[in-house]
Amino acid sequence: MSRVAILGGGTAGWLAAHLLRQAWPDAAVTLIESPDIGTIGVGEGSTPTLKRFFELIGIAEDDWMPRCQATYKVGIRFDRWSPAAPWQSYRHPFTTQVDVHTQEAFVLNCRNRRLGHDVPVHPDAFLLGARLSAEGKAPLTPPSFPFRMEYGYHFDAGLLGAYLRDLAVTRGVAHRQARVVGASRAENGDMAALVTDTGEDIAADLFIDASGLAGLLVEQTLGVPYRSFADQLFNDAAVVLPISTTDAPGVETVATAHSNGWRWAIPLRHRTGHGYVYASAFQSADAAEAELRDGLDARNDAVARHLRFRVGRLERSWAHNVVAIGLAQGFLEPLEATALHLVLGTVEQFIAHIDRDGVTDRARAAFNDTINARIDGVRDYIVAHYKLTTRADTDYWRANAANPAVPDGLLEVLDVWFRRGDLGAVLRDNSSHFGEISWHCLLAGYCAFPQVSAPRRDDVDFHGERGIAAFLAGCALNFPTQADVFAGRRQTICT
């Protein structure tokens, strides 16, 4: 692996360049990107994996966040996904060490609610991230705060890609601006070199396919089949509409169910990114854009972009000496902001397998099994949002609820949940990508429970509910608002 060539820039390509350069400092890493291809700009939110990435490469938030118009993110709020629930919304926050003190009560209450007891089960009442979201608090604490916080970010995808590019070049990554028009292969089938429009051959030992939806190397050149998820996830289009704003940015992504899909709202420092993910079989592009504008009361002069995508993944991300990442590897709608999470996980797993086992058929097979399981686990969690819906106001939502194409992993989760079994044990056994608390947030957030056997008594404090509320309120006092953070005002003493 003395020479590594990455086809495609954007956030995925440059993230890979940094990780490979960090892991193999003696390797020559070259990234080739066409100056004519821009950033997709969908999925401008992250999980805590991006925080760990910047910690790994030694970059402080004060350096990269202002340059990328980035804000803090403590979770996602889901609005109007399950009208049968007694609440309009619920949150899926990133869990922290603080939640160790409250999540057991959340899980226990959900178990009792599955047994028919009328106990409090709204996720927002048990997790600190939900409390911070509601109060607009950034996840930054005084130095003496005794718990580690986990959080993600919102960011301008174009600016983040440019920042990572400039930083990578200063750290020794070679950057070539050229259009790749072909590739040559060795006698054993490996990729030998990329051929540019100027006639240059760029040879390497390892190739990273970050060519986006085109999938130039692994799918088109090597012929690895693409596995569609279209029978399980109907959405295949999006309309994107960024709106300038001077409002103080929030600390959560908002995902709001619409007539034929859902709308995201991602708060940055200079604008709010809005988009509507929908199914083209149920709604036209013009109708989708009109619905998005109506929901935002957007100015008529705001320019919308329309996108189409295939939902699914390659059957193998690593074939011969080429590894696909990002959109070249597959696509899942950004409902849980997992795009960069999967990019980073793919590259990290590849490095780990190479360092441990070398370039062998065994390493390749183990890596592909691991990555496929991760992507399929994310798919299962996203499918659950549609399968569990109680919306029935359009053909789209009725078709989702009645869809018989349910992944086996999701069927197992739902079976143990409704049979009142141990959900945590099942998730541990099948190595689910999302953990027990994430699944409890979704299932309880949808109020996926049987009818209660008896009404709740107001004079009973179930499992310290009032104490938990007081504990979370006290913890939240230690956190500044996001506006205070950007103004340089932070608490220095733990309350």
Side-chain angles (χ1 to χ4, degrees):
M1 297 300 174
S2 61
R3 300 170 300 170
V4 180
I6 302 170
L7 175 58
T11 308
W14 290 111
L15 286 172
H18 280 281
L19 289 176
L20 292 167
R21 185 70 177 163
Q22 182 90 7
W24 302 330
D26 294 332
V29 180
T30 301
L31 187 145
I32 308 99
E33 65 177 337
S34 170
D36 302 325
I37 300 177
T39 302
I40 294 293
V42 173
E44 295 187 315
S46 83
T47 67
T49 308
L50 188 61
K51 175 175 177 285
R52 292 192 285 275
F53 164 78
F54 279 111
E55 292 172 347
L56 175 67
I57 67 171
I59 298 299
E61 292 176 345
D62 290 343
D63 185 75
W64 78 269
M65 287 185 67
R67 301 188 193 187
C68 301
Q69 298 291 338
T71 60
Y72 292 101
K73 173 187 173 184
V74 296
I76 305 172
R77 190 181 84 222
F78 292 88
D79 289 352
R80 305 205 303 257
W81 285 79
S82 186
W87 42 75
Q88 187 179 38
S89 66
Y90 76 93
R91 289 179 169 91
H92 179 200
F94 303 125
T95 55
T96 72
Q97 286 185 336
V98 175
D99 298 316
V100 171
H101 301 281
T102 59
Q103 63 188 26
E104 183 178 352
F106 178 38
V107 171
L108 183 58
N109 272 20
C110 286
R111 184 174 182 84
N112 284 329
R113 182 62 181 80
R114 284 189 283 156
L115 294 170
H117 304 303
D118 189 6
V119 295
V121 290
H122 196 294
D124 294 13
F126 295 91
L127 302 170
L128 179 60
R131 182 83 184 208
L132 298 181
S133 293
E135 297 185 10
K137 296 290 189 70
L140 303 182
T141 60
S144 56
F145 193 74
F147 305 104
R148 177 178 172 82
M149 296 298 298
E150 295 289 350
Y151 54 86
Y153 308 98
H154 304 114
F155 50 84
D156 184 303
L159 294 177
L160 179 60
Y163 175 86
L164 292 171
R165 175 198 65 209
D166 295 345
L167 179 64
V169 170
T170 66
R171 295 185 170 189
V173 176
H175 181 209
R176 302 278 188 88
Q177 287 197 328
R179 188 166 64 91
V180 171
V181 295
S184 61
R185 299 180 67 176
E187 291 184 1
N188 65 353
D190 282 358
M191 198 76 66
L194 304 178
V195 181
T196 71
D197 55 355
T198 63
E200 179 186 11
D201 286 353
I202 301 176
D205 307 301
L206 166 68
F207 295 85
I208 302 296
D209 186 356
S211 61
L213 295 171
L216 294 176
L217 300 184
V218 176
E219 184 178 5
Q220 291 196 23
T221 303
L222 298 182
V224 173
Y226 191 89
R227 180 181 176 186
S228 174
F229 296 158
D231 60 332
Q232 299 160 336
L233 292 166
F234 298 155
N235 296 340
D236 62 354
V239 53
V240 183
L241 192 65
I243 304 294
S244 299
T245 182
T246 57
D247 296 337
V251 293
E252 63 184 0
T253 299
V254 180
T256 304
H258 272 234
S259 66
N260 295 282
W262 61 277
R263 182 186 83 219
W264 76 74
I266 296 179
L268 307 182
R269 302 189 190 201
H270 63 315
R271 65 169 168 83
T272 300
H274 295 281
Y276 178 22
V277 179
Y278 64 97
S280 63
F282 292 86
Q283 190 170 33
S284 69
D286 289 343
E289 180 177 339
E291 184 173 355
L292 176 61
R293 289 183 181 276
D294 289 345
L296 299 176
D297 192 25
R299 304 187 308 272
N300 290 330
D301 60 345
V303 179
R305 290 190 301 122
H306 289 266
L307 308 169
R308 293 295 297 270
F309 48 81
R310 294 182 304 167
V311 180
R313 62 162 172 81
L314 293 171
E315 289 191 0
R316 301 184 305 279
S317 295
W318 179 6
H320 289 280
N321 60 336
V322 188
V323 178
I325 64 172
L327 297 176
Q329 178 187 56
F331 183 87
L332 290 168
E333 59 190 79
L335 187 58
E336 290 287 345
T338 50
L340 295 189
H341 182 92
L342 291 172
V343 169
L344 292 167
T346 296
V347 178
E348 290 169 347
Q349 280 291 318
F350 175 72
I351 292 170
H353 279 80
I354 289 291
D355 288 347
R356 184 177 64 245
D357 300 324
V359 183
T360 63
D361 290 341
R362 175 183 175 183
R364 193 178 289 112
F367 167 85
N368 284 326
D369 288 345
T370 297
I371 298 306
N372 288 348
R374 287 192 177 189
I375 296 174
D376 292 351
V378 174
R379 175 208 57 198
D380 293 354
Y381 194 74
I382 293 175
V383 171
H385 291 74
Y386 298 100
K387 187 60 183 175
L388 291 170
T389 185
T390 57
R391 290 187 65 123
D393 52 317
T394 65
D395 289 341
Y396 168 85
W397 289 106
R398 288 188 289 270
N400 271 289
N403 186 10
V406 182
D408 290 341
L410 176 57
L411 284 175
E412 188 176 12
V413 168
L414 296 181
D415 180 69
V416 73
W417 178 265
F418 289 109
R419 288 180 180 271
R420 307 180 182 95
D422 186 348
L423 180 60
V426 169
L427 295 173
R428 289 188 293 272
D429 288 344
N430 65 17
S431 301
S432 173
H433 179 83
F434 286 91
E436 183 177 14
I437 298 304
S438 290
W439 278 103
H440 275 79
C441 284
L442 193 161
L443 293 160
Y446 274 63
C447 203
F449 299 108
Q451 293 293 319
V452 296
S453 56
R456 178 186 176 189
R457 290 175 50 189
D458 292 335
D459 61 335
V460 177
D461 182 16
F462 287 95
H463 305 300
E465 176 191 9
R466 294 166 194 151
I468 289 174
F471 172 71
L472 293 178
C475 286
L477 294 174
N478 293 282
F479 296 83
T481 66
Q482 187 147 236
D484 285 340
V485 172
F486 295 157
R489 298 186 296 269
R490 303 188 188 184
Q491 288 183 244
T492 59
I493 300 175
C494 182
T495 301

